Amino acid sequence: GGALNSLGAKLDFTLTSGDGQMTMRWYPEVNYVDSRYMIAAAMFPPGSNYNGAMVWPVEPAIGYIEKALFARQRPGAAGVQVKLRQQLPQAVAGYQRVAQTMQLPIRLNYDAALIVVAYTQSGTQWEEAFYTAIQDMGQVGGGLWSNKDSFSVRAPAGKLEAMRPIIDLMLNSVKLNPVWVKGEIQGQIQRGEIARRTQEEIARLDREIV
């Protein structure tokens, strides 16, 4: 739908136990635009599409989990009880350290949180933990923001805590292939250049029409 969600690779990956009772899912990182920082903000109300990104005022991590992850993934959930809402300042500090090592020309703001929810769906009682981090480029970045490292873990009620050692093992065993990372960065640069040339061509056509 446009360049802003076409530059970087996206991951949507699910692991499920053999009996289908326990599920862990990683969600794709999606870019959004906060129109408050756009020159033509009046033309792009919340929910509209701007260059491939949904226009949506930046959300804190807890708000994003509740509105974008849980609400969209479990629309038929009943008897919902939030058992835990936890801010994660240590995770925020970790993202900030990584951003500093990258020596980016703009400051990135972060928020991270964990929510644990109990609910009933299709006659089964579940517990599910959701995590996400919000990366916000702010005014300098034209209002661009995104969710990072979003994942959820679901188990039958009363069994989620017992899954913690397995969850920790899976999360801590993830390793990035440096060859893939290098190729992905190069691909993002190439796709960014294609998007830039496309926007320039659209602007040229607009001028000719005028």
Side-chain angles (χ1 to χ4, degrees):
L4 290 181
N5 270 302
S6 302
L7 302 185
K10 296 188 183 299
L11 173 71
D12 194 342
F13 183 65
T14 301
L15 294 174
T16 304
S17 61
D19 59 9
Q21 292 293 295
M22 303 195 183
T23 303
M24 186 171 187
R25 180 179 177 185
W26 284 263
Y27 299 89
E29 182 175 345
V30 180
N31 289 319
Y32 302 91
V33 177
D34 190 328
S35 62
R36 292 176 297 179
Y37 302 123
M38 295 168 56
I39 296 176
M43 298 175 59
F44 297 95
S48 62
N49 183 300
Y50 174 75
N51 205 12
M54 178 187 289
V55 177
W56 187 4
V58 62
E59 288 279 352
I62 287 178
Y64 186 84
I65 290 173
E66 293 177 342
K67 298 175 183 178
L69 295 183
F70 179 75
R72 293 180 183 176
Q73 300 306 316
R74 311 298 178 205
V80 178
Q81 294 181 334
V82 179
K83 302 181 68 174
L84 175 70
R85 285 189 180 94
Q86 184 175 355
Q87 300 288 144
L88 300 173
Q90 291 182 334
V92 170
Y95 287 113
Q96 290 174 337
R97 284 194 297 270
V98 172
Q100 289 173 357
T101 62
M102 296 173 65
Q103 298 182 341
L104 300 173
I106 64 174
R107 173 181 172 80
L108 301 177
N109 298 308
Y110 292 95
D111 185 36
L114 176 72
I115 288 183
V116 179
V117 184
Y119 59 94
T120 300
Q121 190 175 41
S122 302
T124 303
Q125 293 183 325
W126 302 97
E127 288 181 340
E128 191 163 15
F130 289 87
Y131 168 86
T132 196
I134 298 299
Q135 177 179 277
D136 179 19
M137 296 186 180
Q139 185 173 2
V140 178
L144 196 65
W145 64 279
S146 64
N147 63 302
K148 295 185 68 66
D149 303 326
S150 302
F151 69 87
S152 65
V153 183
R154 184 168 90 158
K159 296 184 178 181
L160 184 62
E161 184 62 29
M163 284 283 291
R164 182 186 292 271
I166 300 174
I167 296 167
D168 289 342
L169 178 63
M170 289 193 294
L171 291 176
N172 293 325
S173 67
V174 174
K175 296 181 180 179
L176 288 176
N177 182 333
V179 176
W180 182 90
V181 172
K182 181 179 179 180
E184 168 61 12
I185 293 174
Q186 291 175 341
Q188 289 187 22
I189 293 173
Q190 293 171 355
R191 292 187 290 274
E193 178 62 18
I194 292 171
R196 184 190 64 80
R197 293 200 305 267
T198 300
Q199 291 301 310
E200 288 181 350
E201 178 64 10
I202 291 173
R204 184 188 67 80
L205 292 172
D206 285 343
R207 289 194 299 270
E208 288 189 3
I209 291 172
V210 172

